[in-house]
Amino acid sequence: MKIIKWGISATFMALALASAQPAAAAGKLTVSLQQDPGSWDPIDTFLVAWASVSTNIFDGLTYRGPDLKVVPGLAESWEELNDGKLLRFKLRQNVKFHNGEDFNAAAVKFTFDRLLGDEGAKGPQRSNYTVIESVDVIDDYTVEMKLKSPDPVLLTKLAGYGAMIVPPKYIQEKGEDNFNVNPVGTGAFKFSSYAPKVDIKLEANPDYWGGAPKISELEYRFIAEPATAVAELQAGRVDIVIPPTIPIGMIPVITGDSKLEIVSVPGPTVDALRFNTRDGITADPRVRKAIIMAVDRSTIVQSILAGQASEIASFQSALSFGYDPELKPLPYDPAGAKKLLADAGVKAGTPLQIDVRGADSTMNEVVQVIASYLQQVGLNATIKPYETNVLVNDIIPQGKTGAMFQQKWGGWTFDFDNTAYAMYHSGEKWNPYEKDETLDKLLESQRPLTDRAEREKILREVGQYVADKALELPLYNSNAIFGINKRVKGFVAPPDNRLKLNEVTVE
């Protein structure tokens, strides 16, 4: 029997001791967020905007910070048994939810039973955790997680999104709809109020197990327009602007203000224009490859993005496990694109619709250039902007897109499985068009493998297979660009936008 133990670190010991003597929190921090997720329930969303807020409200059994290392969260230690098919967690004691409810093994079991049950089936998170067969209570502060097969990414998944631990009694008494808009967790900040499309306000949790926050209030304002967000930053009414709000063209506005600064870090976020492979001209792989060859992505990265991004050949960043440095994108070749279109019988002037997030000013600028490139090879591209929530929650999942549609993905586990399974496996929310048995089998085969080299090989095969089928026009991996008021101290930019702000102060 293989046993892997992870004990509580000295750092977390120090935090636990610090929590016994909480410092008085002072000051308010205001953050600009481009999108309102619409629900604060951990099982309802994949949106990075949700995690930017909710990392401060909820905790998982594990935690992953800006250094991308997985460390203890609500589980102070764990053991890996039975060749990776059993995880035994020892839970923190004397932790309470914001409503005063005790955190214990029953709360962990409730969380995962709910995630894997009927309620979880309504949201996009469940498929990430279906390897979990059961969660069993051993005693009040010990749980065992039985797995159908080993999952080498599970401990990372437990640090975010659907795996955030929720309060059983509160949800059972108040109901699901109430929980969506009145979240309760164990995190460093407690929910105060929520005005849809306006803001969400949090207050410090002085009893937080990791130490009382250093600020007393935390407000996230939902500001869709980048110019407005930057103006509010300049006026001092916003302290932090979270990616992807700041357009490249507005960076000089911020760096030219002595009170402000830009913090830019490589992150997992990638952008692509995916294809409707079911309908119209893009059902033909020759047309899809022609479109890829018609676009000069190197020029887009250098000229429009000012080098604040890098080209991608597959829908992942170079930080992702499964990234293949040998995989090269189709080259920029307008003449070759025209030939492929002619071979496919596509006539000059054929219309083509590209769906984008209307609030994403950088992508809107990029897609205007892409439309120009496509015009040069005889395609008449029109751009249709949508409100982000409409595009990602209705248009894409329901298969109602145009020929191409924007997909921005955080890849927050830094493992290609998290992206590839959601994008390419049959029946997944973000894959309304493709049903490919070969691709399904590849994706399924790598999930239980504990041999890292074998998993990496298969994930690279997935990347190559998708590139060969030309399921998307891969564009770029963006830096995470934060606009910061210099009065904010102690801020560490997370590459995945999952801000935990309990150590930040404001002057």
Side-chain angles (χ1 to χ4, degrees):
M1 177 181 293
K2 180 183 178 185
I3 299 179
I4 298 176
K5 293 187 177 182
W6 189 307
I8 187 168
S9 69
T11 299
F12 272 77
M13 277 288 195
L15 285 173
L17 290 172
S19 68
Q21 297 177 319
K28 177 182 177 181
L29 183 74
T30 303
V31 180
S32 172
L33 192 62
Q34 193 171 59
Q35 183 181 5
D36 178 355
S39 170
W40 300 104
D41 187 332
I43 63 176
D44 280 352
T45 185
F46 255 123
L47 298 176
V48 175
W50 179 92
S52 296
V53 178
S54 296
T55 298
N56 295 286
I57 300 173
F58 298 100
D59 293 307
L61 294 175
T62 62
Y63 171 69
R64 193 191 68 192
D67 63 1
L68 303 184
K69 295 178 181 177
V70 176
V71 297
L74 287 174
E76 63 181 17
S77 65
W78 57 81
E79 295 177 308
E80 183 179 316
L81 308 168
N82 193 21
D83 296 323
K85 294 175 71 175
L86 178 67
L87 293 172
R88 181 180 298 148
F89 296 93
K90 296 298 290 185
L91 307 180
R92 293 186 186 278
Q93 299 187 29
N94 303 314
V95 175
K96 289 187 179 292
F97 288 97
H98 300 149
N99 65 331
E101 190 175 330
D102 288 333
F103 161 74
N104 51 30
V108 175
K109 179 173 175 56
F110 173 84
T111 295
F112 287 97
D113 286 352
R114 178 174 178 264
L115 169 63
L116 297 170
D118 293 341
E119 192 63 31
K122 300 174 186 177
Q125 284 292 337
R126 185 181 180 181
S127 65
N128 271 322
Y129 302 93
T130 50
V131 71
I132 300 172
E133 184 175 292
S134 66
V135 173
D136 302 314
V137 174
I138 306 304
D139 58 45
D140 281 352
Y141 295 100
T142 307
V143 294
E144 288 187 347
M145 192 173 283
K146 294 178 181 176
L147 309 183
K148 299 170 187 174
S149 59
D151 183 346
V153 195
L154 184 59
L155 287 171
T156 298
K157 294 176 186 175
L158 296 180
Y161 294 94
M164 297 290 94
I165 306 301
V166 299
K169 292 179 183 177
Y170 178 79
I171 293 175
Q172 289 165 344
E173 291 174 3
K174 300 291 186 179
E176 300 288 349
D177 291 343
N178 175 78
F179 187 57
N180 287 346
V181 293
N182 295 277
V184 168
T186 60
F189 291 87
K190 300 187 288 185
F191 170 77
S192 179
S193 68
Y194 170 50
K197 306 290 181 70
V198 179
D199 64 15
I200 182 170
K201 295 178 181 178
L202 312 178
E203 60 186 58
N205 175 11
D207 301 316
Y208 182 53
W209 60 264
K214 295 179 179 178
I215 53 173
S216 56
E217 298 175 74
L218 177 56
E219 178 183 7
Y220 288 81
R221 293 175 55 193
F222 306 121
I223 305 176
E225 291 298 325
T228 304
V230 172
E232 292 295 276
L233 182 68
Q234 289 180 296
R237 291 187 289 268
V238 161
D239 300 304
I240 300 174
V241 178
I242 297 179
T245 302
I246 299 172
I248 301 298
M250 297 195 78
I251 290 178
V253 175
I254 295 173
T255 56
D257 189 321
S258 62
K259 304 186 302 298
L260 310 177
E261 63 181 335
I262 286 287
V263 177
S264 177
V265 294
T269 301
V270 284
D271 278 88
L273 291 179
R274 302 183 69 203
F275 292 109
N276 178 341
T277 58
R278 182 190 65 196
D279 309 313
I281 62 171
T282 50
D284 189 326
R286 294 172 297 179
V287 173
R288 302 197 296 265
K289 289 180 179 180
I291 289 171
I292 296 170
M293 293 162 62
V295 178
D296 186 352
R297 285 162 289 174
S298 176
T299 295
I300 287 172
V301 166
Q302 295 306 317
S303 299
I304 299 177
L305 305 180
Q308 292 281 345
S310 55
E311 289 182 75
I312 55 174
S314 58
F315 202 38
Q316 60 183 321
S317 78
L319 298 173
S320 168
F321 182 79
Y323 172 79
D324 185 356
E326 300 302 317
L327 181 62
K328 304 300 179 186
L330 287 171
Y332 174 52
D333 182 3
K338 287 180 179 179
K339 183 177 185 305
L340 279 176
L341 290 171
D343 291 345
V346 177
K347 298 179 180 179
T350 296
L352 175 148
Q353 180 179 302
I354 306 175
D355 299 338
V356 297
R357 303 181 182 189
D360 188 339
S361 58
T362 298
M363 175 53 74
N364 276 268
E365 187 175 352
V366 167
V367 83
Q368 292 282 356
V369 174
I370 289 173
S372 297
Y373 281 125
L374 295 181
Q375 189 173 32
Q376 292 173 22
V377 298
L379 295 174
N380 183 21
T382 57
I383 300 163
K384 186 169 184 177
Y386 285 94
E387 180 183 357
T388 300
N389 282 348
V390 173
L391 181 63
V392 302
N393 291 319
D394 179 26
I395 301 301
I396 295 173
Q398 298 301 319
K400 298 188 293 187
T401 73
M404 303 172 73
F405 56 96
Q406 178 193 0
Q407 188 78 64
K408 180 184 289 288
W409 198 253
W412 76 276
T413 62
F414 292 85
D415 188 295
F416 191 38
D417 167 80
N418 178 253
T419 302
Y421 203 97
M423 296 297 122
Y424 311 126
H425 194 279
S426 298
E428 286 296 305
K429 175 179 179 178
W430 306 109
N431 178 28
Y433 300 121
E434 277 293 305
K435 292 180 175 61
D436 187 316
E437 187 176 342
T438 299
L439 193 49
D440 286 351
K441 286 180 178 178
L442 279 173
L443 290 164
E444 292 161 7
S445 68
Q446 55 81 33
R447 280 202 152 179
L449 297 178
T450 55
D451 185 327
R452 284 179 59 85
E454 184 63 21
R455 268 197 79 234
E456 186 173 45
K457 178 184 175 184
I458 295 172
L459 287 173
R460 289 182 174 185
E461 284 182 43
V462 170
Q464 182 67 64
Y465 189 89
V466 169
D468 290 344
K469 287 195 72 174
L471 298 184
E472 66 223 351
L473 163 56
L475 292 172
Y476 46 80
N477 166 215
S478 305
N479 283 3
I481 303 171
F482 296 82
I484 311 288
N485 189 310
K486 291 180 181 177
R487 79 187 191 102
V488 177
K489 305 298 180 184
F491 174 77
V492 179
D496 56 4
N497 280 15
R498 297 173 68 228
L499 283 71
K500 193 168 184 178
L501 297 168
N502 55 316
E503 293 296 316
V504 169
T505 61
V506 288
E507 292 182 345

